[in-house]
Amino acid sequence: MSVIGDLKDSRGLLVNLTLREVRGKYKRTLLGQGWSLLNPIAVLLIYTLVFGFVLRVPVPIGENSGVQIFALYLACGLIPWTFFSNSVTSGMGALLGNANLLRKVYFWRPTLVVASVFAWDVTFAIELLVLMAALLIVGSMPLPWLPLLLLAVVLLTVFALGIALMLSVANVYFRDTQHFVSIGMQLWFYATPIVYPYSLIQDQADRMAADGNGFPLETIYRLNPMERFVSVFRSMLYDNTWPQWGDVLFCVVVAAASLGIGIWVFTRSQHRLVEEL
Amino acid sequence: MSAAPAVEVEGVAKRFRMYRERNQSLKAALMRGGRASFDEYWALKDVSFEIPQGSTFALIGENGSGKSTLLKCIARILEPERGRIRTHGSVAALLELGSGFHPELSGRENVFLNGSILGMTKRELERKFDEIVDFAGIEPFIDQPVKNYSSGMYMRLGFSVAINVDPDILLVDEVLAVGDAAFQEKCMEKFVDFRRAGKTVVIVSHAMGSMRTLCDQAAWLDRGSLLDIGRADAIVDRYVDKGHEKGVAPGTAGGANAEARVGSGEARLTTVEMLDASGTPATSFRTGDPVTVRVGYECTERVEQPAFALAMDTVDGMRFWAHHTRDGGLELPFIEGTGHVDLVIPALALQPYTIDLSARILDHTLTHTYDFRRHCYRFVVETGDHRESGGVVALGGRWTADLPASASETAV
């Protein structure tokens, strides 16, 4: 497959573009890379205040870890989600944002999208490390799952990359895409058990069943790939248990499908890309 | 040098879509039923030719002739609708210098970034880093963010990275005019090195003078089709002649030409023409010919103490001569109605070249322009009895040598 060859040839470029993204992101700010931690901490604080303190969402107890802290429960879902949402959003804008470059130089086009997703991987890794340190302090022990955690990061990256590839070309042809996506992302966020536990959905499904409503709420809810990803991350980090293998398999399948479709869409629509920019 | 061509262009056609509505939104697309309405425009129509390996090849043509589109197709930035382009060897394009620079990153970081965009590996870049910085001449600033660079420094660094990519085929678009004279000379040297190394250079430019000397072959594109191909000097001359025919014919005065014309208009230039020895207007002269430049005027009112000025530019844009009546010692108390002034040139001290004449009527302070016609008369100088070897002016110098007595005796 030529895609792999192209990727190999663009290795050096990919590294440099990723570094450009990482370095450029917080250039000229007083706190520099500190922002990559301050941002999620601020979001975490706000959500903890609203959902943990005001709305009093029930906090599940970590299955093996015994931890019961809403902020950490939230972080185990929020950090993967933030990575996903940021990579899709910035990957989507990567072609338009580098229009000047695309018009003047030939290089393997997907490199731009891949680099912007990889740049968020750096942030993701830092956040996960901080999260694990916090978990260790309160008595959770996620370290044995580190290899599997790495795999989950890779799968989530591939999943996000595929979607970013699709949306990046779509965004060139239809500038509306980015606005639709920002709405869609909010919807998707609340459709995923991040600020609330999955048990609330189960309760709702039970109540509907008791009322004689046959709507398959749980089945539909679990079709959401991000629900699977979040539950994989959470079981390893918060509960210290093996993730459900069905979830892992689901993640592998959606990641592969997303990347496959992403590459297909991208290569099919890149012919007139430069003219449309 | 092998006989295989470096670039093969086979029946290439490129279409652009010109959207009737500038609206690239989903709503607009849905309302039209998924298809945007657009006009087609063929920027290239079935162009075929070959660029031999090791040649310096010029693509010439007017604006909109498709030469830049073709260059972008060769660079793979654009994909042609039909036909194909085969390139043998690595290709690098100098289309816009420093286009991949990130303003917040330092010069050093940008060299590595830009180099890798152009296809260099990290190891190559490390090896050539000093050479690149040295060539650009910006050592003291290499760790500064490039947004603090002057535009000249920015361009020089961009050029320096690109030229050091060392491709087999180098594509250049209008970037020959970078930096000061010293830097331009360095660039020219680099091109010559390139040629000597048997590499291929493809250039798009409007600087016909330098194209004529720099390139050995040229293709002339006109509205998307290949008009002519062959030796660069012959093609460039034919192209310039064609532009001459279309542009400024002798005796076309007044508003017939839309070329740059400014002025308050109390006095206007009517005819600007050059007369040969017999007093008839001509557009072709020989080195050493007597020439009279006749500048006709027309006044709507009495104009006190006017001055007339003439200037000459080479066809590639170099101003090499100017002269006005005040410096020439001709004091005109006033002009009224119509009339003309003459500048008598006893012998045209120019070498074969195509030259544009500009004329101007000024007030006595030389700061106010009544009328100015830029490049209103084009003429060609051909080789005369006296022949000099290169450049624009013929100084009429004579060689002598202080030979040893024995040598001069044999010479006599």
Side-chain angles (χ1 to χ4, degrees):
Chain A
M1 219 155 97
S2 71
V3 173
I4 293 165
D6 286 334
L7 186 63
K8 239 179 105 188
D9 292 342
S10 334
R11 253 180 344 212
L13 175 59
L14 186 57
V15 171
N16 275 308
L17 282 175
T18 308
L19 282 177
R20 176 180 81 159
E21 294 286 320
V22 173
R23 287 182 186 143
K25 215 174 270 173
Y26 303 108
K27 265 271 151 99
R28 301 248 300 150
T29 58
L30 204 59
L31 296 170
Q33 290 294 336
W35 278 113
S36 66
L37 274 180
L38 274 176
N39 270 331
I41 287 173
V43 175
L44 207 58
L45 277 178
I46 294 165
Y47 285 155
T48 305
L49 207 66
V50 175
F51 295 98
F53 187 71
V54 179
L55 294 176
R56 307 193 67 72
V57 169
V59 187
I61 303 169
E63 213 176 303
N64 290 340
S65 64
V67 176
Q68 195 187 12
I69 301 168
F70 182 73
L72 289 177
Y73 179 80
L74 178 62
C76 293
L78 188 62
I79 288 172
W81 168 265
T82 312
F83 161 74
F84 171 74
S85 150
N86 283 337
S87 344
V88 167
T89 313
S90 73
M92 176 176 60
L95 295 180
L96 274 186
N98 289 291
N100 200 29
L101 202 52
L102 291 169
R103 276 195 221 111
K104 300 297 172 193
V105 196
Y106 176 78
F107 52 92
W108 194 53
R109 308 309 197 186
T111 319
L112 284 172
V113 182
V114 181
S116 68
V117 172
F118 279 10
W120 284 108
D121 264 310
V122 175
T123 313
F124 190 23
I126 297 170
E127 288 172 3
L128 277 179
L129 285 177
V130 173
L131 174 63
M132 283 204 278
L135 285 167
L136 283 171
I137 293 169
V138 300
S140 168
M141 188 57 202
L143 293 182
W145 286 275
L146 212 53
L148 195 60
L149 203 62
L150 214 63
L151 176 73
V153 171
V154 171
L155 288 178
L156 185 55
T157 304
V158 170
F159 180 60
L161 181 61
I163 294 180
L165 281 173
M166 279 176 245
L167 293 177
S168 63
V169 280
N171 199 27
V172 172
Y173 293 97
F174 301 107
R175 307 283 155 105
D176 299 43
T177 310
Q178 50 193 326
H179 303 291
F180 279 115
V181 168
S182 72
I183 297 172
M185 278 292 172
Q186 288 198 38
L187 206 67
W188 200 344
F189 174 73
Y190 287 105
T192 309
I194 298 165
V195 292
Y196 56 87
Y198 178 64
S199 61
L200 286 187
I201 296 295
Q202 278 176 315
D203 292 351
Q204 187 63 35
D206 290 346
R207 226 169 299 144
M208 281 165 74
D211 291 346
N213 189 336
F215 186 75
L217 180 66
E218 272 195 86
T219 318
I220 290 176
Y221 190 80
R222 298 223 75 202
L223 283 176
N224 172 8
M226 283 313 289
E227 193 275 329
R228 307 289 180 134
F229 274 109
V230 165
S231 92
V232 166
F233 276 99
R234 221 170 237 161
S235 54
M236 290 186 283
L237 292 168
Y238 192 77
D239 295 319
N240 299 157
T241 58
W242 289 103
Q244 285 177 10
W245 295 108
D247 289 350
V248 178
L249 190 68
F250 195 96
C251 291
V252 171
V253 172
V254 291
S258 158
L259 187 65
I261 298 171
I263 290 173
W264 182 74
V265 169
F266 197 99
T267 43
R268 255 190 54 131
S269 8
Q270 68 173 348
H271 303 286
R272 288 190 307 112
L273 197 64
V274 174
E275 297 146 53
E276 296 286 343
L277 280 170
Chain B
M1 220 177 283
S2 68
V7 181
E8 292 171 68
V9 179
E10 273 177 37
V12 166
K14 177 68 198 166
R15 178 187 61 197
F16 284 115
R17 290 175 177 182
M18 296 188 295
Y19 290 90
R20 294 209 187 95
E21 295 165 63
R22 281 290 310 147
N23 196 350
Q24 277 174 314
S25 72
L26 199 57
K27 184 191 117 206
L30 286 175
M31 285 173 65
R32 280 190 303 263
R35 283 266 168 263
S37 64
F38 52 81
D39 293 320
E40 287 187 351
Y41 168 73
W42 289 92
L44 289 172
K45 305 163 195 158
D46 193 32
V47 175
S48 304
F49 62 91
E50 288 179 354
I51 299 176
Q53 209 145 37
S55 66
T56 302
F57 196 92
L59 290 175
I60 60 177
E62 286 163 22
N63 288 329
S65 59
K67 54 192 190 309
S68 288
T69 303
L70 182 58
L71 200 71
K72 284 187 176 181
C73 287
I74 298 174
R76 291 178 68 192
I77 292 167
L78 295 176
E79 275 183 40
E81 256 68 37
R82 284 204 301 268
R84 69 179 170 170
I85 296 176
R86 263 182 300 191
T87 50
H88 302 278
S90 59
V91 180
L94 288 183
L95 295 189
E96 190 178 287
L97 299 170
S99 49
F101 283 177
H102 190 297
E104 296 286 352
L105 299 182
S106 72
R108 182 185 304 275
E109 288 166 323
N110 269 308
V111 167
F112 280 90
L113 177 64
N114 209 241
S116 65
I117 289 171
L118 295 170
M120 273 195 275
T121 64
K122 191 159 181 264
R123 208 167 304 134
E124 274 179 286
L125 276 162
E126 273 161 1
R127 206 180 59 232
K128 287 184 177 167
F129 184 77
D130 290 336
E131 197 184 324
I132 291 171
V133 177
D134 194 46
F135 189 82
I138 54 155
E139 292 93 329
F141 311 104
I142 194 65
D143 286 311
Q144 293 288 315
V146 294
K147 61 165 187 186
N148 295 342
Y149 284 18
S150 71
S151 55
M153 286 159 68
Y154 197 88
M155 300 287 266
R156 288 205 308 266
L157 188 62
F159 185 87
S160 185
V161 174
I163 199 84
N164 277 293
V165 173
D166 212 19
D168 298 318
I169 303 163
L170 182 70
L171 311 175
V172 184
D173 191 359
E174 291 287 4
V175 289
L176 296 169
V178 179
D180 50 24
F183 188 74
Q184 286 210 13
E185 205 166 298
K186 280 207 280 187
C187 297
M188 284 300 162
E189 274 171 34
K190 210 66 182 175
F191 279 122
V192 172
D193 284 351
F194 237 80
R195 249 193 347 196
R196 211 170 292 147
K199 308 211 164 172
T200 313
V201 184
V202 185
I203 303 179
V204 167
S205 177
H206 287 288
M208 286 305 152
S210 39
M211 296 284 266
R212 201 173 184 280
T213 48
L214 196 65
C215 300
D216 37 50
Q217 292 211 53
W220 176 5
L221 291 172
D222 185 50
R223 272 165 285 160
S225 305
L226 184 70
L227 209 65
D228 208 347
I229 183 166
R231 282 174 50 97
D233 46 3
I235 300 281
V236 167
D237 285 353
R238 233 168 291 160
Y239 171 72
V240 170
D241 286 349
K242 176 86 179 300
H244 175 203
E245 269 167 43
K246 252 201 276 186
V248 199
T252 51
N257 298 299
E259 93 273 330
R261 180 163 193 171
V262 288
S264 55
E266 292 88 344
R268 288 175 69 82
L269 294 158
T270 50
T271 54
V272 177
E273 56 194 12
M274 294 176 72
L275 314 176
D276 62 13
S278 65
T280 47
T283 53
S284 169
F285 301 92
R286 290 179 186 283
T287 305
D289 277 0
V291 176
T292 300
V293 185
R294 178 154 296 171
V295 183
Y297 61 83
E298 181 181 56
C299 304
T300 53
E301 57 190 66
R302 181 180 154 119
V303 175
E304 302 287 342
Q305 293 184 304
F308 287 81
L310 290 170
M312 288 184 189
D313 298 311
T314 61
V315 68
D316 42 333
M318 182 179 68
R319 164 70 45 91
F320 66 92
W321 175 85
H323 195 39
H324 58 72
T325 47
R326 284 176 65 92
D327 275 347
L330 176 68
E331 295 290 344
L332 299 157
F334 64 89
I335 49 172
E336 244 179 336
T338 57
H340 65 83
V341 292
D342 286 351
L343 173 75
V344 179
I345 300 169
L348 193 63
L350 297 176
Q351 296 201 43
Y353 229 98
T354 302
I355 287 156
D356 284 315
L357 183 73
S358 304
R360 192 191 286 265
I361 312 179
L362 299 138
D363 73 347
H364 69 285
T365 63
L366 302 177
T367 51
H368 179 79
T369 298
Y370 294 118
D371 192 14
F372 170 58
R373 289 178 59 192
R374 185 173 173 271
H375 293 183
C376 54
Y377 198 88
R378 175 171 283 183
F379 65 99
V380 183
V381 183
E382 285 161 7
T383 312
D385 301 332
H386 179 75
R387 185 187 153 87
E388 293 185 5
S389 314
V392 186
V393 295
L395 298 177
R398 207 159 284 135
W399 289 101
T400 60
D402 193 9
L403 295 171
S406 56
S408 52
E409 267 163 31
T410 39
V412 172

